[in-house]
Amino acid sequence: MATSNRKSIYLQGVSDGAPFVLVVVPFALLFGVVGTEAGLSLAEVMGFSVLVIAGAAQFTALQLMVEEAPTVIIIATALAVNLRMAMYSASLTPYLGRATVWQRACVAYLLVDQSYALSHLKYENEPKLTLSERLRYFFGVLTPVAPGWYVASFVGAVAGGAIPPEFALDFAVPITFLAMIAPALRTVAHVAAAAVSVSGTLVLVWMPYGTGLLVAAVVAMVVGAQVELWMEKRA
């Protein structure tokens, strides 16, 4: 394969991932601010952002830590929030499963909502891409996103107190997930699972330490699977 083609597919990933910096940076800034306000040191904030690299799980774990929830509950809830990553992995396996161990390890570490959504769509629309091209596109998407997450987390932790409240950084949280979830609601099963997860979380909000989220997630997955089976039988 020509070097120009390899660069082209990588740059496509960079170009497709670049717009998400607009929501990733405020999201990371917010975590840096909230983390330091909750009493975390700079090293602890950066440890969260570099090792976990999962905004929703980080915010969830941090909130439970502030509430002094049991460690088991914190870990279980954070894992539940990130349970979608297991589904992402299974979905990408047909496309990247033949990669080397170190390549798959890098993909696993950098598997976030943005890299999954863009890469899976690319792979579906262009099934003739080689394994090398798929990997180059995947890492291209993360080239602007991952450094933006790290740097913004650092800035938020160091200078968070100086960011005016009117900047309303928390707007990035719902926008990020709406941008990821909305395009994925392509079938009745997807919509049913999303509706059950949202309504279930609201109904079970009274449960301690956010455990209602765990219950709602399990119920939503069951409902989504059942609806998909029902649709297949109808077809």
Side-chain angles (χ1 to χ4, degrees):
M1 180 172 54
T3 302
S4 60
N5 290 339
R6 292 178 178 177
K7 289 182 178 179
S8 175
I9 196 73
Y10 171 77
L11 292 177
Q12 284 179 29
V14 174
S15 176
D16 290 346
F20 285 101
V21 173
L22 297 177
V23 288
V24 166
V25 167
F27 202 175
L29 280 171
L30 180 62
F31 179 76
V33 173
V34 174
T36 52
E37 289 181 348
L40 297 183
S41 67
L42 176 60
E44 289 169 334
V45 170
M46 293 310 298
F48 251 123
S49 287
V50 174
L51 298 177
V52 180
I53 191 171
Q58 291 176 216
F59 276 101
T60 301
L62 183 62
Q63 180 60 40
L64 291 175
M65 289 168 64
V66 171
E67 295 176 1
E68 299 183 351
T71 302
V72 174
I73 294 295
I74 295 174
I75 295 174
T77 305
L79 287 174
V81 171
N82 262 13
L83 189 61
R84 67 190 187 283
M85 298 302 168
M87 294 182 281
Y88 290 175
S89 298
S91 182
L92 290 180
T93 296
Y95 302 104
L96 304 177
R98 292 184 293 107
T100 63
V101 173
W102 73 267
Q103 288 173 330
R104 282 183 279 126
C106 291
V107 169
Y109 170 68
L110 293 170
L111 184 58
V112 295
D113 296 301
Q114 293 85 355
S115 60
Y116 169 75
L118 292 175
S119 296
H120 189 265
L121 183 62
K122 182 76 169 179
Y123 302 159
E124 278 194 332
N125 292 339
E126 300 183 32
K128 293 185 179 180
L129 289 175
T130 65
L131 176 59
S132 176
E133 289 173 325
R134 291 168 183 165
L135 287 169
R136 288 177 181 276
Y137 181 82
F138 181 92
F139 292 122
V141 170
L142 267 296
T143 297
V145 173
W149 176 260
Y150 303 142
V151 173
S153 294
F154 179 84
V155 172
V158 172
I163 299 176
E166 55 266 25
F167 273 54
L169 295 177
D170 53 342
F171 85 95
V173 179
I175 288 180
T176 297
F177 282 95
L178 285 175
M180 291 292 95
I181 294 173
L185 301 180
R186 294 179 293 179
T187 68
V188 175
H190 293 156
V191 174
V196 170
S197 64
V198 172
S199 58
T201 301
L202 294 175
V203 170
L204 301 175
V205 70
W206 55 269
M207 294 182 68
Y209 305 125
T211 49
L213 177 64
L214 303 180
V215 177
V218 173
V219 174
M221 286 188 286
V222 172
V223 170
Q226 290 301 314
V227 171
E228 189 167 5
L229 290 174
W230 178 67
M231 294 298 292
E232 288 178 355
K233 289 180 180 179
R234 287 193 59 187

